[in-house]
Amino acid sequence: PLHLPVNIRIHAARASVSGKTPVDSGGYGSPSNIGELPELRDFREGLEEKYLQNLIGQTKGNMKKACVVSGLSRSRLYALLKKHEIRPFHSLVTPTQAP
């Protein structure tokens, strides 16, 4: 199986030495892990939101820098921020208190 990635070949070799199949040993496609997995859409949404929060935090709300770092266009970045209800920066002006 030289056509397979190295990590899969190593996993398969270890499983064959122990007498288990890769599925039996908790490897790829293991039935024991299937019930614990979220739907791909939910997983992707969560990761996307965390990525955007980290991106905005690291670039300190600088949208031009965030676009360069992420490789996203400005319009796409703003659309994703709106989708996840993330504000790229906080208003520097604080509201005045009513007398």
Side-chain angles (χ1 to χ4, degrees):
L2 296 175
H3 66 284
L4 296 174
V6 174
N7 61 335
I8 294 176
R9 292 192 328 234
I10 291 170
H11 189 72
R14 286 181 180 159
S16 68
V17 169
S18 68
K20 297 179 180 179
T21 65
V23 172
D24 293 339
S25 62
Y28 298 98
S30 173
S32 64
N33 295 335
I34 292 176
E36 301 169 12
L37 292 175
E39 288 188 8
L40 180 59
R41 180 184 309 148
D42 296 335
F43 183 73
R44 189 178 295 154
E45 295 281 326
L47 283 181
E48 190 175 78
E49 185 173 356
K50 287 179 184 178
Y51 175 82
L52 292 170
Q53 289 170 343
N54 289 336
L55 177 67
I56 296 304
Q58 289 182 8
T59 59
K60 296 181 173 76
N62 182 329
M63 299 309 288
K64 186 173 184 177
K65 190 173 180 180
C67 288
V68 171
V69 169
S70 67
L72 295 170
S73 68
R74 184 175 283 252
S75 61
R76 179 65 179 148
L77 180 57
Y78 274 108
L80 289 171
L81 292 173
K82 183 176 180 179
K83 173 183 168 184
H84 293 287
E85 299 177 352
I86 298 172
R87 294 183 60 187
F89 47 85
H90 298 288
S91 175
L92 297 176
V93 179
T94 57
T96 58
Q97 296 180 358

